[in-house]
Amino acid sequence: MTIKPFKLERYYSQYEFTAKYSLCNSDCEAMSIGDLLAMEEGATEKFHQHWLGYTETKGHPELRRDIAATYTNILPEDLLVFTGAQEPIFLFSQAILKAGDEVIIQFPCYQSVQSIPESLGCKVLNWTVRYDNNVPTFDIADLEKLITNKTKVLYLNTPHNPSGFHFSRAEQLAIIEIARKHNIIIFSDEVYRELEHQPQYTIPGFGDLYENGISLGVMSKAYGLPGLRIGWLATKNKAILEQVAILKEYTTICNSAPSEFLAGVGLRNRDKLLARNLQIIDSNLPLYDRFFEKYAHLFSWYRPNAGPIAFVKMNFEMDDMVFADKVLKEKSVLLLPGGIYDYPGYFRIGFARNGIPKALEVFEDYVESTMIPNLKS
Ligand SMILES: Cc1ncc(COP(=O)(O)O)c(C=O)c1O
């Protein structure tokens, strides 16, 4: 199998731990094991006694019960637990697709849904974001035009990385109707679900609503626990789950037992985790509002109604990769340039980390000291 390098992950492995400030992370602020365990009475004691044997391939039954509680129709037996969200994207695609199949992806995208099907010999068709007055949308009429009798899977991602777009309930139902009519599997990457900025923007998981829908979830983003490396697939389609389970026995076999325990604590306390993380988002968004209002001649942003990230348009002539590189070299502030997504002229920002106010201050210093004088000269 030949597969393209994952540009975003390569970029992060190069700079994430060396840049002093980051303005672009997509995960919420993490916490220590001690702080997580303190959320539940008796959890510290139980964690120390937790058994370090192999666990069930499907995921610990108690953990699957806790994950099922985050859906409406999904039951513990409709779940398969994995190492993060990346493993199930990889294994689902390997299990379900064959050369010649067509898949549709939202573009730009988190690269795995593009590169893995391509590596399998599939034709990948882009359902490309449209910007209307700087507001991103995915037009359902555009989607319908991409469907043929070879379309096997529609990969969705909502809230969307990188645009921040989030489907409404009406759009969700319309997409399911189309998929049902053409017998298309929906693989819905919902790693940012439950980070809707207001309750009215919440939509159910696709796995809850559609018999051939699969919801991808993870502890990494909304719950801010990426170090656990616990993710899952949720679907009523038993045949798909079984095909993927067979492949998982060739990769990780089962999950890390301590991580499964800790993920359970996180999920049982998810209301507290989400309230904390939404509060961080709520406090950072006004800082960006002020920044983008002040520098409207340089940048335009769409303020999302869900999720921890947004895509910022550059209103000046410079390659986005060059721009990000300059900001990094001069101020040690990490931005995620659109070139990483093959979508130039933009960069991604994040707003669910405690370090954002300081990182934005240093970025503003770059704008004032370097960009503004250059524009004037
Ligand atoms: C949309 C999307 N899906 C999947 C992943 C992978 O998640 P994880 O790192 O938990 O495997 C990411 C990570 O950034 C993502 O943004």
Side-chain angles (χ1 to χ4, degrees), residues 187-243:
F187 183 95
S188 174
D189 180 332
E190 296 162 6
V191 299
Y192 304 109
R193 194 167 83 99
E194 295 196 297
L195 276 186
E196 298 78 23
H197 301 172
Q198 299 293 331
Q200 72 264 29
Y201 301 125
T202 305
I203 60 170
F206 276 82
D208 256 339
L209 296 184
Y210 176 39
E211 58 286 358
N212 289 320
I214 300 138
S215 286
L216 169 68
V218 82
M219 297 307 295
S220 309
K221 308 294 182 182
Y223 307 118
L225 301 170
L228 294 181
R229 310 310 297 133
I230 292 286
W232 57 86
L233 294 181
T235 180
K236 288 287 176 189
N237 187 320
K238 292 272 184 284
I240 292 180
L241 218 51
E242 182 59 15
Q243 281 170 270

Side-chain angles (χ1 to χ4, degrees), residues 6 8-9 12 26-27 83-89 109-113 156-162 189-192 216-221 225-226 229-231 309 341 348:
F6 198 132
L8 181 149
E9 299 299 347
Y12 269 114
S26 66
D27 50 342
T83 301
Q86 187 75 295
E87 186 194 17
I89 299 175
C109 63
Y110 186 68
Q111 196 187 318
S112 12
V113 298
L156 299 177
N157 173 212
T158 189
H160 180 244
N161 176 1
D189 180 332
E190 296 162 6
V191 299
Y192 304 109
L216 169 68
V218 82
M219 297 307 295
S220 309
K221 308 294 182 182
L225 301 170
R229 310 310 297 133
I230 292 286
I309 48 179
Y341 290 89
R348 187 183 90 178

